[in-house]
Amino acid sequence: MGIIIWLLIGAAAGWLAGNIMKGDGFGLLGNIIVGIVGSVIGGFVFGLLGFGSTSMLGSLITAVVGAVILLYLVSVIKK
């Protein structure tokens, strides 16, 4: 059951970050990948700042922030 929640949070975070950064999502698989990679980046950044999440909402916020950072870095590298 945990993996399903993990994938759902990743998909939601990827979709939200896609909407924030470029206006649309990346499809289901793309959203999941962006969200999962974003959660790793967000967890690292928030860990450096001394923050941690213990709830699903906190995990979603962490993943969205990380995914936005990921998409920003990708857009900078593409230019």
Side-chain angles (χ1 to χ4, degrees):
M1 190 66 167
I3 189 83
I4 294 171
I5 302 254
W6 187 56
L7 291 173
L8 289 174
I9 288 175
W15 178 78
L16 285 170
N19 285 329
I20 291 169
M21 291 302 291
K22 75 172 217 178
D24 58 356
F26 302 101
L28 182 61
L29 185 60
N31 287 341
I32 291 172
I33 292 170
V34 168
I36 291 172
V37 173
S39 68
V40 172
I41 293 170
F44 177 74
V45 169
F46 283 157
L48 289 176
L49 297 173
F51 297 114
S53 65
T54 56
S55 66
M56 275 204 313
L57 180 61
S59 297
L60 180 62
I61 292 170
T62 301
V64 169
V65 169
V68 167
I69 292 170
L70 172 67
L71 294 178
Y72 174 75
L73 291 175
V74 168
S75 71
V76 167
I77 291 171
K78 278 185 153 181
K79 290 182 180 181

